[in-house]
Amino acid sequence: MTQTELNLTANYIATLASQPDSKERIALFLDGLLSSFAQKNEPVREEKPSVSAKIRFSQKELTHMSKTFKKEFIANGLAAHVIKRQRSKNCTIYIIRYRRSGYNICVSANSMEEARARFLQATKAENIEKYRRKNYAARGTFAAIAREWLEFKEGKLNPRTHKNYESYCRRFLLPALGDMPVSSVKTIDLNKIMSGVEGRVYEDLRIVLNSVFKYAMASGIISHNPVTLIPFKKTERSNRRALTPDEIRKLLKRLELPEFKAYKRTFLILLFFGLRPCELADARFEGDFLVARNAKRKNGKIEYKKIPVCPQAKEMLDLSAPVECPHITNSLNRIFKRIMEDEAITQYYLRHTFATVCQQYVRPDIVDVWMGDSSERLVGKVYTHFPDKFLYEQMQKVTFDY
């Protein structure tokens, strides 16, 4: 510091000493003076000295702050950075800045009281988003949170379910909400989306929305869930039934036609083993059993079921050939409707047929094992472990009538 700078500093302190709150003013000046020495590229300007320090707010002043910002502000000690700057001989301004966690708030006024008031105004819920830096805002958008949630759920959901949820986000949610900060999404925004869908799409879409906002709440990004007022409407499922012996005969006959013969093996496996169509991809024959991954397990749990080969399946299927799934489920279903010449009959009737026929010959709890369903009784869930030999012997009693 030069002699001129020392003289200016002494004169400024002497001036501050004669003013009200002299100790606070001198402390603020000295704090800023020491800070200026650490900033080599910002030399002290003789004619317009600036001082800086921390300013703290009371809990009472935080009453009208945005809830999200309030949590962040309290965690950082209720403090912001204040700068007192001499703009001209008779003009002093106070600048309050807060630059943390993506927020860049900067307000100024001719008095400390007015600067505090402007800072509090900027932190209200209706204003705070103006002060979020773009790179942080992108991370807080609905699109970013939805992708983060999908990544979190990968491996915890059935792969098919996870893929469907990705599709719902891409088709319905991201076009409408993608660029919006998740904290600014309102119930009315969601209602506009939900009013345009119905049935299973409505049911699944609400599940996705509710899960994304619950994830945002758990991450501390929002404090309330806007999905709460969107009603959950469970879709009424159409009742399916088992095929009659006449319908089974028709199925077998039409599977011999040249246009459908390529699908004969696929639909016979669905009939004689009661698989869900989506379980065909991982199915394989091992000796006298067909082994398939059970698709209906929660939290992505991997579990396999073993279904014995019945006598009629042995006669009509080559057990040495691999199990194939020629099309996705929807396409396969359209083909099955053409085979049966009835739009009301779906390939899921084959699973119903398997369960119905089997229960005519063996106990329901054994059929539960073959279907991959959990028994309702504790004994069935926990304590029962049927040996393969017993299950195979039970299956030999089953006869499909056609």
Side-chain angles (χ1 to χ4, degrees):
M1 181 179 288
T2 64
Q3 186 62 42
T4 302
E5 291 170 338
L6 285 172
N7 292 338
L8 283 171
T9 301
N11 292 336
Y12 196 80
I13 291 174
T15 302
L16 292 175
S18 62
Q19 296 179 0
D21 301 324
S22 58
K23 290 184 178 180
E24 182 182 348
R25 293 173 182 269
I26 292 172
L28 187 65
F29 171 73
L30 292 175
D31 186 84
L33 191 62
L34 292 172
S35 298
S36 68
F37 281 111
Q39 301 175 1
K40 296 180 180 179
N41 296 326
E42 296 183 16
V44 176
R45 296 188 298 180
E46 297 177 14
E47 70 282 3
K48 297 179 183 179
S50 298
V51 293
S52 64
K54 279 189 176 181
I55 181 174
R56 294 186 181 278
F57 291 79
S58 66
Q59 288 280 358
K60 186 177 180 180
E61 289 177 300
L62 272 57
T63 305
H64 300 294
M65 274 188 179
S66 159
K67 290 183 179 179
T68 305
F69 178 77
K70 186 189 294 187
K71 290 180 181 179
E72 153 74 21
F73 195 58
I74 292 173
N76 285 292
L78 308 173
H81 193 69
V82 59
I83 299 172
K84 180 181 177 181
R85 180 167 294 163
Q86 194 77 29
R87 296 192 67 179
S88 65
K89 184 177 180 180
N90 299 315
C91 181
T92 302
I93 63 167
Y94 294 85
I95 303 170
I96 300 179
R97 289 177 179 170
Y98 186 88
R99 294 175 178 173
R100 281 176 177 266
S101 305
Y103 294 100
N104 184 12
I105 303 172
C106 183
V107 296
S108 61
N110 291 333
S111 67
M112 181 65 78
E113 292 73 17
E114 180 62 23
R116 291 174 77 100
R118 290 185 181 182
F119 181 84
L120 294 172
Q121 180 67 25
T123 60
K124 288 186 176 181
E126 62 267 27
N127 299 324
I128 191 64
E129 289 301 328
K130 301 175 186 176
Y131 298 95
R132 287 174 69 93
R133 291 202 295 264
K134 288 185 178 179
N135 60 330
Y136 274 82
R139 283 194 281 175
T141 60
F142 179 86
I145 301 302
R147 293 189 187 101
E148 192 173 316
W149 172 75
L150 285 168
E151 183 180 347
F152 171 73
K153 297 299 288 186
E154 192 168 8
K156 299 179 178 65
L157 292 173
N158 179 276
R160 181 180 177 82
T161 302
H162 189 270
K163 186 175 181 180
N164 286 341
Y165 287 172
E166 283 184 318
S167 175
Y168 287 131
C169 287
R170 185 174 62 255
R171 291 162 53 201
F172 299 103
L173 304 181
L174 297 186
L177 307 174
D179 295 330
M180 293 178 66
V182 72
S183 58
S184 66
V185 177
K186 299 179 180 178
T187 302
I188 193 169
D189 301 320
L190 305 182
N191 190 59
K192 290 177 183 177
I193 298 172
M194 301 303 290
S195 62
V197 296
E198 57 185 14
R200 288 292 295 273
V201 175
Y202 181 99
E203 184 179 320
D204 290 344
L205 200 57
R206 192 193 180 281
I207 291 173
V208 172
L209 280 169
N210 192 46
S211 299
V212 170
F213 283 103
K214 284 174 69 176
Y215 180 85
M217 287 179 66
S219 302
I221 300 171
I222 57 175
S223 58
H224 68 285
N225 187 349
V227 185
T228 305
L229 295 179
I230 303 294
F232 182 82
K233 303 174 186 176
K234 190 166 182 65
T235 308
E236 192 174 325
R237 268 59 169 176
S238 58
N239 292 324
R240 300 188 180 103
R241 60 173 176 81
L243 296 177
T244 65
D246 287 341
E247 288 172 331
I248 296 176
R249 280 194 292 273
K250 179 179 181 178
L251 170 65
L252 298 177
K253 183 178 179 180
R254 287 183 60 77
L255 284 173
E256 296 297 334
L257 296 176
E259 60 179 313
F260 299 127
K261 201 160 187 177
Y263 305 104
K264 178 180 177 180
R265 179 177 171 81
T266 298
F267 289 120
L268 288 181
I269 289 174
L270 294 179
L271 172 65
F272 290 130
F273 297 94
L275 294 185
R276 302 176 180 92
C278 61
E279 293 172 339
L280 284 168
D282 296 317
R284 64 187 183 278
F285 285 107
E286 291 185 359
D288 292 325
F289 290 84
L290 182 139
V291 180
R293 180 176 174 180
N294 193 356
K296 295 295 184 179
R297 296 294 92 179
K298 292 184 177 180
N299 299 320
K301 181 181 179 182
I302 297 177
E303 184 179 286
Y304 289 87
K305 54 186 176 182
K306 294 180 71 174
I307 309 160
V309 181
C310 70
Q312 290 160 302
K314 272 189 177 180
E315 293 174 6
M316 302 181 70
L317 292 169
D318 178 7
L319 303 185
S320 63
V323 178
E324 296 180 349
C325 184
H327 296 290
I328 61 174
T329 300
N330 289 342
S331 298
L332 209 57
N333 204 37
R334 287 194 292 270
I335 294 167
F336 187 78
K337 289 174 183 290
R338 284 169 47 205
I339 293 172
M340 298 304 296
E341 298 179 308
D342 190 337
E343 285 295 315
I345 296 179
T346 73
Q347 60 189 332
Y348 291 96
Y349 279 43
L350 299 175
R351 181 169 166 83
H352 288 251
T353 304
F354 173 81
T356 302
V357 171
C358 288
Q359 289 192 79
Q360 295 175 34
Y361 298 94
V362 300
R363 301 196 320 254
D365 57 329
I366 296 173
V367 181
D368 286 343
V369 174
W370 295 341
M371 297 288 287
D373 293 334
S374 298
S375 172
E376 294 299 320
R377 299 169 63 243
L378 179 63
V379 171
K381 285 184 179 180
V382 178
Y383 297 107
T384 305
H385 309 281
F386 295 117
D388 288 351
K389 181 180 178 182
F390 172 76
L391 292 175
Y392 179 76
E393 290 171 350
Q394 293 295 303
M395 181 60 84
Q396 303 318 297
K397 302 175 184 178
V398 176
T399 302
F400 288 81
D401 187 13
Y402 52 83

